[in-house]
Amino acid sequence: MWSLQNLLFILCISLRCVTSAVGVLNVTGYLRREVNISCPYDPGYESYEKYLCKNSCGRGDVLITTTKPVTYKYMIHDDKTARIFTTTISDLRSMDAGKYWCAVKKFLKDIYTEVKLKLVKDSCCGTVTKILNYQGYSVSISCPYEPQYQNSLKYICRGNRPSTCLQQALITSENKENGRFRLDDDKMLKKFTVNITSLRQEDSEYYLCGVQRNFDLDVFSAVELKVEEFCCVRSTKINGTVGHPLTLQCPYPSQHRDNRKFLCKGDQHNSCMDMTNQSRFTVHDNVSSSSFWVIIAELEAADAGTYWCGSDSQWKVGNYTKMELSVFLQHTLGTLEANNPALYVVYIITPVLLLMCALFIVYKYRCSTVKGDEATGRNARNKL
């Protein structure tokens, strides 16, 4: 048997007496996350009880009230200054989607506002822009937006979870610089650009460009950035000897024959030191073979390290050669003797002693053999 409140609600629906100053509230939330449903009300109802309900709003359909503002899934707060009460629904599931009613309790006839809750997956997006770049370089991520969002907050975050993107934003249009990240908003072109400098391989990630909306879910576009190790035409290991010359060969594209050729030293190409102006380094260009040679005179131990040679000042991938140079000392007998006389004993005296010991052992063996033969002869004569 239906209660009087149920009958009054059905009667109000049929007579169009469910009143609201804002009409239907459309709210969208993310599955497995939480959503806020904010319901405004007119002046004079600050002290009235408010609640959220579903279906026909019967006694069993009331989900939360301001007289009991917290349950396991729902929480309600009444901001009497702003005249808005907000209900938070947590751990959203598919069954939570549908029609709700925000209500202000009155004698005989409550005031209802219809709410339609839509739920979507906490992921983005159908289209993903893919960008490939290289370690140590810079990249620009372009994020277009609709004209109505020119003055809205823009931001970017790592990952693919829209529900927490703003809270975990790397940078926003209010805070335009953050370390290696910079955001520039071009309102004329209706796009904002995020620049990342000194790229690292750990920057490889999904990124979400976000535009904040006050009364609905934020708008996103997705980018997949892949950062690869800065690589070259070839990478080689070379050995050299202290005091000796060494020749390094560096190929280049035929279209670079008129470009300046260079050799620099350093672990990273973007911070290496140019060596072609050093007196011991000489560059010879062989145009016919599309390669050039760098001759290093009288190698020093300090010359060991990483070298980069190329013909492209823009450092485009594939237009240079990476070389790992190892420099070894040359130990000659004369040098060892001069530097440390004690080594003469180790390298000269010891072998002589070993030879003498070997000769002595051979001599003793031959002596014992001869004596054995003589003894055998005597025994034979005695028997005769």
Side-chain angles (χ1 to χ4, degrees), residues 46-62:
E46 290 83 352
S47 60
Y48 285 60
E49 181 182 358
K50 288 88 178 177
Y51 60 92
L52 183 75
C53 59
K54 287 191 75 172
N55 302 324
S56 62
C57 274
R59 185 172 300 174
D61 298 324
V62 176

Side-chain angles (χ1 to χ4, degrees), residues 14-196:
S14 62
L15 295 177
R16 300 282 195 268
C17 67
V18 178
T19 59
S20 171
V22 295
V24 177
L25 296 177
N26 291 291
V27 180
T28 306
Y30 293 109
L31 286 166
R32 303 284 180 172
R33 310 300 292 179
E34 65 179 33
V35 69
N36 292 321
I37 300 176
S38 297
C39 306
Y41 55 85
D42 293 332
Y45 295 105
E46 290 83 352
S47 60
Y48 285 60
E49 181 182 358
K50 288 88 178 177
Y51 60 92
L52 183 75
C53 59
K54 287 191 75 172
N55 302 324
S56 62
C57 274
R59 185 172 300 174
D61 298 324
V62 176
L63 304 172
I64 189 81
T65 70
T66 51
T67 56
K68 188 180 178 182
V70 179
T71 67
Y72 77 99
K73 188 178 178 70
Y74 304 93
M75 182 172 64
I76 194 169
H77 171 71
D78 186 8
D79 185 342
K80 297 180 180 180
T81 302
R83 296 192 305 277
I84 296 174
F85 71 94
T86 302
T87 302
T88 302
I89 309 175
S90 60
D91 192 22
L92 290 167
R93 305 301 176 100
S94 299
M95 64 185 69
D96 293 320
K99 185 183 294 186
Y100 291 79
W101 300 90
C102 292
V104 178
K105 192 174 183 62
K106 288 179 58 182
F107 179 71
L108 292 180
K109 186 182 70 173
D110 295 350
I111 301 175
Y112 296 93
T113 301
E114 184 179 350
V115 179
K116 290 183 178 179
L117 176 60
K118 177 184 177 182
L119 299 181
V120 296
K121 291 182 179 179
D122 191 10
S123 61
C124 181
C125 297
T127 302
V128 179
T129 301
K130 295 187 177 183
I131 299 176
L132 173 64
N133 215 303
Y134 297 90
Q135 188 176 346
Y137 278 63
S138 299
V139 68
S140 294
I141 299 175
S142 181
C143 308
Y145 56 82
E146 296 297 325
Q148 63 267 32
Y149 302 129
Q150 285 186 347
N151 298 320
S152 300
L153 178 73
K154 287 88 176 180
Y155 57 94
I156 192 170
C157 69
R158 294 180 188 270
N160 191 26
R161 179 168 286 183
S163 63
T164 58
C165 189
L166 181 55
Q167 294 89 331
Q168 299 175 359
L170 298 167
I171 193 168
T172 72
S173 54
E174 292 180 347
N175 178 25
K176 294 187 176 182
E177 286 196 45
N178 181 19
R180 297 182 297 117
F181 295 82
R182 177 180 175 84
L183 189 151
D184 295 296
D185 185 9
D186 190 332
K187 296 182 179 181
M188 294 294 294
L189 296 177
K190 296 181 288 297
K191 70 174 183 179
F192 68 94
T193 303
V194 177
N195 295 295
I196 311 174

